[in-house]
Structures are given as C-alpha cells and as structure tokens.
C-alpha cells in the first residue's frame, strides 16, 4: 500500500512538473501572440507553424548563452538569488488542486500533489518568501539600478501583501476552511455557489482587490516598477544572463500561474462547472472545441496567408478530435473538471496579458498611495462587512 | 525519521544563529536570521503545530525580515569594521560564554528533568484550536497585546513627525 502511494506520488510530481514547465514556456508564446494581436501585428510566426516552436528556440538560446558573473558582485547571494526565486515560485504549485478524486487503473488518487489542511496559508507563506529572490538579486548585483529595483520590489511586495491577505480572508470566512480542496468542494452546484457571487455577501470586491494586489505581487504591468526598463535598465536582473536570467523569467510566469490558480480556487469555484451537469454543462467543453475546430477549418479553406492552407486545417482537425475525446464518458470524469479549471485560470491569465497590452505603468508615489490610501481600507471594510454578515446569517 | 529531521533543522538553526553574530556584513547576518526563522518553522511543523509554522514563515521570515533587509538596503550599510577589542573581551569572552551556556543547560535540566518530546503528539496546532484559544482562554492577553502594538505604532508616528519638523 505504502509502495503504491510512493509510486503514484512520484508519477504525479513528474506529470505536474512537466506540464508546468511546458505551460511556462508556452505562456510566454501566448503572451507574445496576445500582445501582438492587440498591436495589430502577427507576433512570432517564423519558427514552426504560427511560431509554435519559438519557446523551444528561446530555451536553446538561453541555455547556450554565455553565463557572465560580473567581478564586483557579492558572489554567494548573487548565485543564490535566482535559485531562491524559482524554488519559491514552483513550490506553491504543490498544494494547488486541479480536480476531484479520480480512479486510474484501480487506484484512486487526488488531482493534487498534497492536500494540506492549511493550504491557503502555505501559499501565502511561500509567496511571502519569494520577495527575497528579487530583493537579494538587486542588492548582490552591486549596481545602483539593480539596487533600486530590489528596493522597489521589497517595498511594493510588503505593501500589497496586506490587501492581498485581507482579500483572501473574506472568502475564507464564507467557506469556513483553510484547505484548498474543501474550499472548492463547498462551492459546488453552479455559478451562484461560487464565492464571487455567494451569499450572504458576494465577494466581488475582494475578487477585484485580490487581482489588483496579485498584479503588484507578481511585478506585472502596470506595477512592474522593479524592472521599469526606461528608468532602471532592467531593474533587479540587469546583471544576470543566460539561465540565471531565465530563472527570474520563469519565476515571474510561475507566480502568475499560481495567483491565477488561487483566484480560481478562492473565488471562481475551482474545477466546478458553472451549472450542474444535469442541465447539460458537460456538453459545453466539446461544443467550444468543435466550434474552434470549425472556425479553423473555415479559415484554412479561405486562407489569407499561404502557409495557413496547411496549418489551419491541421489545427481544426486536432480541435475536432479533442471535442470527440471530451464526449467520451470514460474520460469525462477527470477531463471535464480539468477543462473548467484550466478555462478559468486561462481566462485570468489572459486578463494579465490584456492589461499588459492596455495600461501604462504607475508612477512610484501613485503605486504606494493607491495601496495604502485606497486598496487597504477598502479590503478592511470588505472583510468587516463580510464578517458581520456571516455572523448575522449563521 | 522525525528525529533525523529534527537534528538536521536544529543544527541548521544553531549554525545560522551563530552565523548571525559572526558575519561582518548586515545583509549576511539578516539572511542567516531568515535561515533561523525558517528552520524554527520546520521544527514547529515537526511538533504538529502547522498553523504556527506557517504564521512563523509569513510574519517573521516573510514580513519582519523583508523590512530588515529593506532598511539595510535603503541605508546601504557597509561591512562592519572590527574595532580594537579590550583585554577583558579577549581573555574572558570565550570562558564566560561557555559558563553561561553551562548554567543555562543546568537550569533547563533541573526544571524539566524527565521531559521527552513526542513528535506529532500535539494536536492543538490547527487554525481552529488557535483561534478558539485566542478568543476564549487568552482573550485578555490578546487584547492587551493589540493595544500595546497600537501604542507602538502611534509612538513611531509621533517620532517620525518630530523628525520632519
């Protein structure tokens, strides 16, 4: 029994790690495509069909680049900082649940690496350690731009962690648990049971506060002051090259995935469908893939670029096959929850990219004033009202 | 397994603690202090107090030490220079330290002569148990602590204002 547990856990770790790494690489491709289409240009298009092999080319480029260590850095901390950043970013994925309990070949297992009973607090703890990677990188580089970037990031992360924690606390009051799995299970039964719309007080405000604070915690536009390239060269990672730079890059994307997963789990009902399967919610994912496949086929027939004549029909056929697989009752039990989880997380990730293509950067005093004078009081008020109403109705 | 983990993280904690004092650069000392806090959190976890372990990481390792590092970076504090030490420090320093540790060990031994640690035997470490204890048994100390912190914040604001004018 204990042996099967070890083997299953090892397999799960390998699968989650491989999927996460692939997602990290391709998230960057998706982001470049989204930004490109916002700016009315095609984006990566040369390496592979529609630039799909671009992440692979980037990885090879980053690995083979010369790994410079400037002579004036504080060596131990300079080398430890990227390691710290990527470790803390990847660690929190270990408690994120992706779906319900499933049965594979007679063994039943959770679609999650470990189900901690303090999962929410664990993610907060790990993400609060993540700031050291950036702050120490900025300091150890011994460069004034890097130092400014590190200073800005530590000040920004301390400030935005307060509204973030308060925004997380409010849905926890409604669900009355700290385990991420139980949190999702309490939101079962349709969109009105999700914490973002659930009574006694819909958590729509804390959802928005959470997203804003999450943008700041992950150093994304419009809060990317630690690496503001027009003032600070590249901020905290100015002196890093090759795989050390890639570690920071991967850490940023891994943090984005983590906060999107957290938003999905806390507010959007995790892997639960928007309405019960009895009313036909299990036909939505195949329908979406089928429509996508048909659109790709249509554009493949009426192609605008020469290469699309072959690539788009191929994509269309793949989408139609996925739609067919999603209709099979054998795999529906675990593919449908996974689909809903990925769809919600992906929607939030798309929001990240959309905002990057839309908003300019904040000024530093605006950034600080916004969180301390507006976000923090609103989050506090939201928590108070939620607590009062939960106590009143229970 | 528990004993091995305990020994590993206890040794890390002690080595980091010594490193805090020995290091000459403030940032290195602060990083060692984070190591102490982190290994203490794991020791709490081994004893079955998972919520306290997480709170230790969030509050001490995550928030307090980030502020420390922020201030050190902001002031750009350099390496401390070792000043000429007096004769008394050179002669009596190490023997006095050993004597202090010996006295401490003696008193701990006398106060708790037969205490053993059961790893995972403690069951009051959940968020529920801690919340209940804070709002029933320890309500008065808890509220007094919050007032104490409020006074400290007000004092800090008053001092900072005086500096500005």
């Amino acid at each position: 029994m204990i042996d099967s547990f070890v083997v299953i856990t090892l397999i799960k770790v390998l699968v989650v790690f491989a999927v996460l790494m692939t997602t990290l690489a391709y998230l960057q491709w998706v982001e470049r495509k989204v930004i490109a289409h916002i700016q009315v240009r095609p984006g990566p298009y040369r390496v592979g069909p529609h630039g799909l092999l671009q992440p692979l080319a980037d990885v090879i480029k980053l690995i083979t680049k010369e790994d410079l260590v400037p002579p004036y850095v504080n060596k131990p901390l300079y080398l430890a900082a990227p390691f710290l950043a990527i470790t803390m970013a990847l660690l929190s994925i270990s408690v994120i649940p992706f779906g319900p309990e499933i049965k594979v070949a007679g063994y039943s297992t959770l679609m999650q690496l470990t189900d901690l009973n303090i999962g929410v607090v664990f993610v907060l703890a790990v993400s609060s350690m993540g700031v050291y990677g950036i702050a120490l990188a900025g300091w150890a580089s011994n460069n004034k731009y890097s130092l400014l970037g590190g200073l800005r990031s530590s000040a920004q992360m301390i400030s935005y962690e307060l509204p973030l924690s308060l925004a997380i606390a409010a849905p926890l009051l409604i669900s009355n648990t700290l385990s991420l799995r139980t949190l999702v299970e309490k939101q079962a039964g349709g969109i009105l049971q999700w914490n973002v719309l659930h009574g006694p007080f819909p958590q729509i405000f804390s959802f928005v506060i959470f997203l804003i604070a999450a943008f700041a915690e992950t150093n994304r536009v419009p809060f990317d002051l630690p690496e503001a390239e027009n003032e600070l060269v590249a901020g905290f990672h100015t002196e890093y090259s090759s795989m050390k730079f890639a570690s920071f890059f991967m850490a940023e994307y891994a943090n984005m995935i983590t906060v999107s997963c957290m938003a999905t789990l806390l507010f959007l009902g995790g892997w639960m469908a928007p309405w019960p399967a009895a009313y036909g919610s299990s036909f939505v994912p195949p329908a979406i893939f089928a429509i996508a496949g048909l659109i790709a086929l249509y554009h493949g027939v009426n192609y605008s670029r020469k290469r699309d004549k072959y690539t788009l029909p191929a994509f269309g056929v793949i989408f139609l096959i996925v739609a067919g697989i999603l209709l099979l009752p054998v795999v529906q039990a675990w593919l449908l929850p996974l689909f809903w989880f990925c769809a919600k997380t992906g929607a939030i990730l798309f929001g990240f990219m959309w905002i990057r293509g839309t908003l300019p950067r904040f000024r530093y005093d605006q950034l600080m004033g916004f969180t301390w004078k507006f976000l923090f009081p609103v989050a506090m008020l939201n928590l108070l009202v939620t607590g009062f109403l939960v106590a009143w109705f229970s | 397994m528990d004993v091995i983990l305990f020994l590993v993280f206890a040794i890390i904690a002690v080595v980091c603690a010594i490193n805090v004092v020995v290091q000459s650069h403030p940032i290195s000392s602060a990083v060692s202090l984070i190591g102490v806090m982190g290994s203490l959190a794991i020791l709490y976890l081994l004893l079955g107090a998972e919520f306290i372990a997480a709170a230790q990481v969030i509050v001490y390792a995550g928030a307090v030490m980030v502020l420390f590092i922020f201030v050190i970076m902001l002031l750009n504090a350099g390496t401390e220079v070792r000043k000429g030490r007096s004769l008394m420090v050179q002669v009596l320093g190490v023997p006095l330290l050993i004597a202090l540790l010996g006295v401490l060990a003696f008193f701990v031994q006398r106060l708790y002569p037969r205490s053993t640690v059961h790893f995972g035997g403690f069951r009051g470490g959940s968020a529920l148990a801690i919340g209940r204890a804070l709002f029933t048994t320890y309500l008065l100390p808890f509220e007094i602590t919050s007032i104490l912190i409020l006074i400290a914040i007000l004092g800090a604001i008053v001092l900072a204002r005086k500096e500005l004018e």
Side-chain angles (χ1 to χ4, degrees), chain A residues 175-189:
Chain A
S175 295
N176 204 8
T177 177
L178 283 175
S179 154
L180 286 165
R181 174 163 294 275
T182 323
L183 194 70
V184 173
E185 278 160 3
K186 291 209 172 176
Q187 299 180 55

Side-chain angles (χ1 to χ4, degrees), chain A residues 117 121 131-132 139 154 158 178, chain B residues 25 34 50 54 61 65-66 70:
Chain A
N117 55 356
V121 191
V131 62
Y132 287 119
W139 181 82
S154 43
I158 295 172
L178 283 175
Chain B
H25 202 285
I34 298 166
E50 70 269 4
M65 289 316 296
V66 171
F70 178 74

Side-chain angles (χ1 to χ4, degrees), chain A residues 82-127:
Chain A
F83 180 71
L84 202 63
I86 187 74
T87 312
M88 291 304 162
L90 294 181
L91 199 56
S92 42
I93 208 80
S94 59
V95 295
I96 304 275
F98 309 104
E101 193 170 0
I102 54 163
K103 281 195 165 61
V104 179
Y107 295 106
S108 77
T109 179
L110 301 171
M111 283 173 83
Q112 182 182 19
L113 291 184
T114 54
D115 183 20
L116 284 188
N117 55 356
I118 50 158
V120 181
V121 191
F122 177 83
V123 173
L124 272 180
V126 171
S127 78

Side-chain angles (χ1 to χ4, degrees), chain A residues 251-315:
Chain A
E252 184 185 321
Y253 279 85
N255 283 329
M256 259 167 75
I257 292 178
T258 307
V259 293
S260 305
C261 290
M262 282 300 281
T264 307
L265 296 168
L266 283 167
F267 298 100
L268 301 182
W271 59 84
M272 298 296 175
W275 62 88
Y279 298 100
S281 72
S282 49
F283 291 105
V284 175
I288 290 176
F289 273 102
I291 292 170
L294 291 178
I295 290 176
L297 281 180
Y298 172 78
H299 281 287
V301 175
N302 308 314
Y303 55 90
S304 54
R305 297 189 193 89
K306 213 172 186 180
R307 219 188 272 176
D308 293 351
K309 200 162 87 179
Y310 308 105
T311 56
L312 281 181
F315 286 136

